[in-house]
């Protein structure tokens, strides 16, 4: 008995120092490694560059897993098994609630004040900032300036009618007007929903619009402006070459770069790939038509890709330090404009020298409407599910009425996850 | 060599032609793995202008080939050895025990062949995590045991019927323990089906994607070749030149294994398939 | 008496010793996780929230009565399986007969047909996407044949065959091996006897060879049937289920339900339905084929 007590007391004496020792080691001496999960493998080189810069400056390592198509299933399974990454990515808007149980509230972090307020809209819920906007991106139609010039097109199109005229002119010159990108699940919705963006105001604004779709009081078949969407898709398909449903991102970028086609619907992120095929190409940004109203035609401009910090992670403070560095350090501020060559949400960050980014800023400055990516406000997964229904329309699987019904059916299935 | 008839020569020619056509997609992969990205996008079917190995060199480096090769090799070997051991033992005993009870056990053990993987993968990862089987190729290999055993068991179960029962009795009379008797007398006789089981499982584990992704993706050091290859296929761009080289680098060890075992595979399937 | 029961006990012990390890492995990796998943199928759960909500059979009722997209995917899966099972098995059997006969370069030819089977299906999907796209364009430029100008992945009807071609291309080698193995069990003297009788090669094949290798057919069809009904990987990378929903299989539908629209509980309910379907279909297939083995 005595012996046992002795052993116990010795153990009690030994254990606390062991523990505090261990804890100290992780916080001071042992280098911290942040466990990070990102998507966009096309940015791998830029991620690595940032990682080594941060390691050089601070000695903190980031171990980034970069995934694409299976990103969500892997993240879900890791969160489920309690293995939440210290830092991960998601969309803005709807994903604010998807990961609500796991993300850290950044509202009171000092560096948040360095972010452009407009970029924070998509990550703010009831005044709380739940994520860090990574990139500011824009999507609309991109055209090849030389092709337009050779075809004698001097006035850029703004309405559906004008787009059609341009397409006819290009075709007359033997140039395929559009490369559709319809094979990618994300290009179609981006193209389609842009045509609806100017009309959301008719349904009480974005929040009301999304809420009414979610509770079923608004149906796609009741949105008369859906005809603008179908008209636009029909136009692109009609002038989209012999295999409009097979055009993917690769096809779009390489055909535009080589001057095989005149117009694609893409975002500023496509420029890098376009230039890989043809570094000299001159490209520009067109507004997206919304029926025949030229004044409402605009570009889609938002920060959607969002960095989230795990609130229960053991490296929480290290993760916040990294975000702060990303926002305030010299390298961090220049990372997005000069290395990734896209637009940064940080106040006063330099502008990228890429043509599309420059034109985006120029057009918005000149009063062209910039619409938020409102389709990201729909419940998670809507983008892809509705996208494949629109793809079915383009492939002739469904007519307009059937497509509207299918959209409504799919939407209500997805919205059930919210109830 | 026997003399062949003209008819058989013609048949050979036709079949060879079909085989060449059959391999043409792979031929395309091979020729394009030597081209630059812009060469690929401008003309896919032309031969490469030079036998430039730089795609392979670059892919080899990006994929961290030696390390991930080792990981894949560890997971595959542990998986295959486990599957062969577990399923040969169980297949033999279940095949020899001709009771209703044994039949039920057999059915319960092969039914998983019909369960779609996606339906239970999250729960599987949960269990794996609680047993500390995630994050290492060794743990991955252990998880393969239960996933590969149903089909392997099915093959062994069929094959054992072609092994005369008197042999087990002889071995037992010698006074050896049942396991020893099995290992020394029966298992060598199962060699043909063992080869098939090895090939089927090795190919699958070497090529598997989703389970390694779920189990290993949190720890970069533990990834497999398949996951490394997959990274060439991005959403915004596919680096076709590296992707093609990466596919070939991943495929090469599997082809070598298949070719070295080819002769035995058919023998294994012979009795395995027939006697079920 | 005691020695007898001891012997019995001993026998049971050996039985358990041989089978338990395999049983535990299967339990751990498949059956336990599957049973856990079945529990989720009775809940409303997005796969992320900390607490799933129990909702009884609501997911099953929704799947069976209010999910036209799933029924469509189910129908496509059955169509796809029907074509792949028949084409794969007929071609594999035909090739097996040729490659089992007396022709030169047998081993090389067998290897040639087997190689696609060594590549992972996800990668195969990407390779064929490349072929149907870039390569076919180049073929058309080179030959002018209209077949290369068809929209193999963009036409909602044609795409079924594009998927069938890829699936068959991938799996043919495996079934070829199964059938060659089967053919090698056919006694040579039986064939020789029938040749003396003057039976023509077709009659010989259907009257003698086929009945003998029927067990191989049962296994091959069983295997291709259950793989066909679970088809996922190749669709995922080749067509992503499109255009529209034209090639969405039930497995892809389940995956999307669980991981894209985050209705994990509902997705699991659908997968239980799929499991039952596979179980029933393969059960009847094996029974039917086994009877054929007996009759002939």
């Amino acid at each position: 008995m005595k012996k046992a007590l002795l052993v116990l007391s010795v153990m009690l004496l030994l254990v606390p120092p062991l523990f505090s020792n261990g804890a100290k080691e992780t916080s001071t001496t042992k280098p911290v490694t942040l466990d990070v999960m990102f998507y966009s493998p096309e940015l791998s080189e830029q991620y690595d560059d940032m990682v080594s810069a941060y390691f050089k400056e601070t000695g903190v390592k980031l171990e980034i897993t970069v995934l694409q198509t299976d990103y969500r299933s892997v993240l879900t399974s890791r969160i489920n098994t309690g293995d939440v990454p210290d830092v991960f990515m998601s969309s803005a808007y709807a994903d604010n609630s998807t990961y609500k149980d796991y993300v850290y509230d950044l509202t009171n972090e000092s560096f948040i004040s360095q972010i452009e307020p407009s970029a924070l809209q998509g990550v703010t819920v009831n005044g709380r900032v739940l994520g860090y906007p990574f990139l500011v991106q824009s999507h609309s139609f991109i055209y090849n300036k030389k092709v337009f010039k050779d075809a004698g097109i001097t006035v850029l199109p703004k309405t559906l009618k004008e787009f059609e005229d341009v397409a006819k002119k290009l075709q007359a010159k033997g140039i395929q007007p559009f490369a559709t990108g319809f094979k990618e699940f994300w290009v179609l919705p981006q193209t389609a929903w842009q045509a609806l963006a100017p009309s959301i105001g008719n349904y009480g604004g974005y929040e009301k619009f999304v809420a009414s779709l979610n509770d079923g009081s608004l149906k796609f078949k009741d949105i008369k402006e859906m005809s603008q969407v179908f008209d636009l898709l029909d136009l692109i398909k009609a002038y989209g070459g012999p295999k409009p449903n097979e055009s993917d991102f690769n096809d779009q970028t390489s055909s535009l770069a080589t001057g095989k086609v005149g117009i694609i619907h893409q975002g500023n992120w496509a420029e890098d790939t376009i230039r890989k095929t043809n570094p000299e190409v001159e490209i520009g940004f067109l507004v997206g038509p919304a029926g025949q109203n030229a004044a409402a035609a605009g570009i889609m401009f938002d920060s959607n890709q969002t960095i989230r910090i795990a609130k229960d992670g053991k490296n929480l403070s290290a993760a916040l330090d990294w975000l702060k560095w990303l926002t305030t350090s010299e390298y961090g501020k220049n990372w997005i404009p000069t290395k990734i060559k896209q637009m940064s949400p940080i106040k006063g960050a330099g502008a990228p020298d890429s043509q599309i980014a420059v034109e985006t800023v120029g057009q918005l400055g000149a009063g062209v409407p910039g619409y938020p990516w409102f389709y990201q406000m729909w419940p998670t997964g809507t983008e892809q599910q509705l996208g494949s229904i629109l793809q079915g329309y383009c492939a002739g699987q469904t007519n307009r009425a059937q497509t509207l019904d299918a959209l409504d059916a799919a939407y209500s299935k997805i919205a059930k996850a919210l109830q | 060599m026997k003399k062949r008839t003209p008819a058989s020569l013609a048949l050979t020619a036709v079949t060879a032609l079909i085989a060449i056509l059959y391999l043409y997609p792979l031929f395309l992969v091979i020729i394009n793995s030597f081209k630059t990205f812009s060469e690929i996008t401008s003309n896919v079917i032309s031969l490469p202008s030079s036998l430039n190995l730089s795609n392979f060199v670059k892919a080899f480096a990006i994929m961290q080939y030696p390390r991930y090769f080792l990981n894949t090799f560890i997971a595959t070997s542990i998986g295959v050895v486990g599957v062969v051991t577990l399923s040969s033992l169980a297949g033999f005993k279940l095949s020899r025990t001709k009771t209703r009870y044994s039949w039920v056990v057999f059915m319960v053990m092969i039914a998983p062949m019909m369960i779609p993987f996606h339906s239970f993968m999250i729960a599987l990862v949960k269990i794996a995590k609680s047993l500390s089987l995630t994050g290492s190729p060794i743990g991955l290999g252990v998880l393969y045991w239960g996933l590969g055993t149903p089909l392997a068991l099915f093959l062994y179960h069929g094959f054992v019927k072609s092994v005369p029962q008197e042999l087990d009795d002889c071995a037992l009379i010698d006074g050896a323990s049942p396991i020893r008797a099995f290992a020394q007398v029966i298992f060598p006789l199962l060699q043909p089906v063992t080869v098939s089981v090895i090939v089927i499982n090795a190919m699958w584990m070497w090529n598997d994607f989703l389970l390694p992704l779920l189990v290993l993706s949190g720890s970069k050091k533990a990834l497999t070749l398949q996951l490394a290859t997959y990274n060439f296929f991005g959403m915004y761009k596919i680096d076709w030149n590296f992707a093609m080289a990466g596919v070939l680098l991943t495929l090469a060890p599997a082809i070598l294994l298949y070719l070295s075992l080819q002769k035995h595979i058919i023998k294994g399937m012979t009795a395995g398939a027939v006697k079920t | 008496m005691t020695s007898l029961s001891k012997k019995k006990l001993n026998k049971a012990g050996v039985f358990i010793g041989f089978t338990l390890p395999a049983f535990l492995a299967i339990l751990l990796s498949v059956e336990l996780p599957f049973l856990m998943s079945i529990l989720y199928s009775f809940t409303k759960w997005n796969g992320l929230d900390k607490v799933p909500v129990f909702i009884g059979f609501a997911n099953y009722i929704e799947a069976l009565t209010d999910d036209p997209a799933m029924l469509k995917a189910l129908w496509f899966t059955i169509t796809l399986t029907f074509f792949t099972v028949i084409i794969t098995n007929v071609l594999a059997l035909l090739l097996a007969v040729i490659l089992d006969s007396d022709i030169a370069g047998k081993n090389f030819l067998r290897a040639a047909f087997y190689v696609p089977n060594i590549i992972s299906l996800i990668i195969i999907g990407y390779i064929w996407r490349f072929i149907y796209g870039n390569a076919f364009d180049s073929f058309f430029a080179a030959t002018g044949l209209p077949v290369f100008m068809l929209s193999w992945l963009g036409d909602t009807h044609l795409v079924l065959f594009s998927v069938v071609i890829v699936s068959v291309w991938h799996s043919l080698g495996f079934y070829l091996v199964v059938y060659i193995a089967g053919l090698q069990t056919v006694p040579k003297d039986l064939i020789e006897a029938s040749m003396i009788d003057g039976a023509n090669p077709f009659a010989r094949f259907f009257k003698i060879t086929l009945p003998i290798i029927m067990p191989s057919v049962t296994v091959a069809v069983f295997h291709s049937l259950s793989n066909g009904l679970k088809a996922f990987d190749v669709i995922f990378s080749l067509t992503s289920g499109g255009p529209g929903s034209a090639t969405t299989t039930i497995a892809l539908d389940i995956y999307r339900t669980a991981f894209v629209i985050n209705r994990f509980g509902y997705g699991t309910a659908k997968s239980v339905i799929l499991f039952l379907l596979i179980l029933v279909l393969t059960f009847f297939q094996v029974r039917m084929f086994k009877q054929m083995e007996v009759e002939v």
Side-chain angles (χ1 to χ4, degrees), chain B residues 2-4 8-9 11-12 15-16 18-19 21-26 28-29 32 40-45 86-90 92-94 97 101-102 105 108-124 126-127 131 133 142-147 149-151 153-155 178-179 182 199-200 203 207-210 226 229-230 233 238 240 244 247 251 254-255 258-259 262-263 265-267 269-276, chain C residues 11 14-19 21-23 25-34 36-37 40 45 47 95 98-99 101-123 126-131 134-135 138-139 142 168-174 177-178 180-182 184-185 212-213 215-216 219 222-223 226-227 230 232-233 236-237 251 254-255 259 264 267-268 271-272 274-275 278-279 282-283 290 293:
Chain B
K2 250 189 326 187
K3 219 181 137 231
R4 293 196 161 91
S8 118
L9 282 177
L11 196 62
T12 308
T15 317
I18 296 173
L21 206 65
Y22 204 79
L23 287 179
Y24 187 74
L26 277 181
L28 276 183
V29 173
N32 283 294
I40 293 178
T41 41
S42 57
N43 193 350
V44 210
I45 52 173
L86 298 178
S87 56
S88 61
L89 282 169
F92 166 71
K93 203 74 210 169
L94 287 170
T97 315
Y101 188 63
S102 159
V105 174
V108 168
M109 283 166 84
I110 62 164
M113 280 196 272
M114 280 152 255
I115 304 177
F117 181 68
H118 295 96
S119 64
F120 64 89
M121 66 184 191
I122 292 245
L124 172 60
K126 251 181 165 164
I127 292 177
L131 297 173
L133 293 174
V142 172
L143 292 177
Y144 280 134
W145 293 354
L147 292 165
T149 297
L151 175 64
L153 175 75
F154 181 75
L155 293 175
I179 296 277
F182 172 79
V199 170
I200 293 172
M203 297 301 162
N207 284 326
D208 192 23
F209 177 73
L210 203 46
Q226 211 53 240
T229 316
Y230 192 66
F233 299 91
I238 299 180
W240 282 114
M244 303 277 185
V247 167
L251 182 61
I255 292 195
Y258 170 77
L259 290 180
Q262 171 168 241
K263 264 200 187 140
I265 295 170
I266 291 184
K267 260 190 246 158
M269 288 289 191
T270 309
V274 167
K275 302 285 181 173
T276 39
Chain C
K11 217 173 160 184
V14 172
F15 181 82
I16 290 171
F18 273 68
T19 53
F23 181 73
I26 296 172
L27 195 69
L28 171 81
S29 293
V30 190
E31 291 176 343
L32 210 54
F34 186 59
M36 278 165 70
S37 303
Y40 291 132
W45 186 46
L95 263 176
I98 294 173
L99 291 182
S101 70
D102 179 38
I103 70 169
K106 263 190 240 185
N107 282 332
F108 167 76
L109 290 171
R110 283 173 190 174
F113 288 107
Y114 196 85
V115 168
N117 199 247
I118 303 175
I119 313 172
S120 83
L121 264 171
I122 294 251
I123 301 286
Y126 279 114
I127 293 177
W128 276 88
R129 209 174 125 172
F130 181 78
I131 289 170
N134 300 27
S138 298
F139 288 148
V168 172
W169 183 75
H170 172 257
S171 57
L172 190 64
F174 178 79
V177 169
V178 174
I180 290 178
Q184 294 190 343
T185 61
I212 294 179
I213 64 164
S216 298
V219 170
F222 161 76
H223 208 64
S226 72
N227 279 339
K230 288 192 290 187
F232 175 82
D233 292 3
F236 193 70
S237 52
I254 290 169
Y255 177 85
F259 298 109
F264 195 84
T268 325
S271 72
V272 173
L274 174 61
F275 167 65
I278 299 176
L279 201 65
T282 48
F283 177 78
K290 284 273 171 206
E293 282 169 32

Side-chain angles (χ1 to χ4, degrees), chain C residues 5-6 24 28 31 45 48 58 103 122 126 133 136 159 191 195 200 209 228 235 243 245 248 257 280 282:
Chain C
S5 68
K6 212 174 176 182
L24 285 179
L28 171 81
E31 291 176 343
W45 186 46
L48 289 161
I103 70 169
I122 294 251
Y126 279 114
F136 272 32
V159 71
I191 300 288
M195 277 164 103
N200 75 44
T209 312
I235 302 282
S245 57
T248 303
T257 307
V280 169
T282 48

